[in-house]
Amino acid sequence: MAAKVDPSSDTSASRSHASGHADASRIIVDVPSRLRSVLARLLASHEAARNSTVTCWELSDALTALRRAGGENNDLRWLVRRGLVDHAVLETPQASAARTFRLQSNLRFSSNSRFVLTPAGVQVARELIGAGEFPGAKRHLPQAASDERIATVAAPPARRPHWDRNRGELVLGSAVVKRLTLVTADEDAILAAFEELAWPVRIDNPLGSHSDAPARLRRTVRALNRQRLQLIRFQEDEGASGVRWNLLDDNPPHAG
């Protein structure tokens, strides 16, 4: 499936790339910690496209996907203005053999909006997500939580769960920890955020900043802890600002 990007409606993309490259080191310290999951999702899409034969726009992220990752409209506008993200509109049907994306200079988003990282955005996302500690994160956490240096490091592969979205299965090694026959959007948002970040000990609440997000997080954590094999435990932070996980058994059984 081919993709065509029509830049005729936008002359700012090249300028944002150039300015983004020049200011990347400064931008890194300014990126709010709540955008980690959004950048991780965009970076995962970028890497998937880079390792395949399609353009980045074919695997671009929709507005709804980035909202599930915790991004609000103003967060995305912030990323676009700083040259970290390009915004385009899908102008042809999703199933069309040749899709066209038109770059946008405006910051009005719709259901047809699609987003990709700019080269500067890729650089910033890689540095932030690979840094182990998200810049500024400690300023947004209680002191006790900050001292634990929790937000970040990926779990070793041998001890890392895997969320298989296509099968609806959360697995650890060869053991199926939980099988979800009907996955809710909140369950998928949490598991997908952990998966995209290689299962760090903790992530910020990926359900957004709406007033009901803490209650939804608590409800979803309870659901995720109802497992056929009790191998993994999820727990929300005080105030439900984030969620963490840990293994309950150092030697998980193999599925029989």
Side-chain angles (χ1 to χ4, degrees), residues 7-31:
S8 60
S9 64
D10 189 306
T11 58
S12 66
S14 59
R15 291 197 301 269
S16 70
H17 286 198
S19 62
H21 278 304
D23 299 333
S25 60
R26 180 184 60 78
I27 290 173
I28 286 173
V29 299
D30 294 333
V31 177

Side-chain angles (χ1 to χ4, degrees), residues 108-227:
R108 295 190 298 273
F109 303 146
S110 70
S111 60
N112 286 330
S113 288
R114 298 293 185 270
F115 302 87
V116 300
L117 290 173
T118 65
V122 172
Q123 176 188 348
V124 168
R126 284 176 176 161
E127 292 191 28
L128 290 177
I129 293 167
E133 183 76 42
F134 194 80
K138 288 187 176 182
R139 294 195 296 271
H140 301 287
L141 292 171
Q143 184 62 40
S146 297
D147 292 341
E148 297 173 19
R149 298 182 61 82
I150 53 178
T152 61
V153 205
R159 296 171 56 83
R160 186 184 302 168
H162 170 58
W163 167 235
D164 189 330
R165 176 181 279 167
N166 293 329
R167 292 178 176 270
E169 291 180 347
L170 177 63
V171 300
L172 181 64
S174 59
V176 178
V177 177
K178 187 175 182 68
R179 180 174 289 118
L180 295 90
T181 55
L182 188 62
V183 184
T184 69
D186 288 349
E187 288 170 332
D188 180 67
I190 291 173
L191 295 173
F194 272 118
E195 185 73 17
E196 288 166 1
L197 294 173
W199 290 86
V201 173
R202 178 195 179 276
I203 59 172
D204 289 338
N205 186 345
L207 305 184
S209 57
H210 297 292
S211 59
D212 66 342
R216 287 164 49 209
L217 180 68
R218 295 186 186 97
R219 183 169 59 248
T220 306
V221 163
R222 288 196 299 271
L224 291 175
N225 283 331
R226 292 194 288 270
Q227 302 166 10

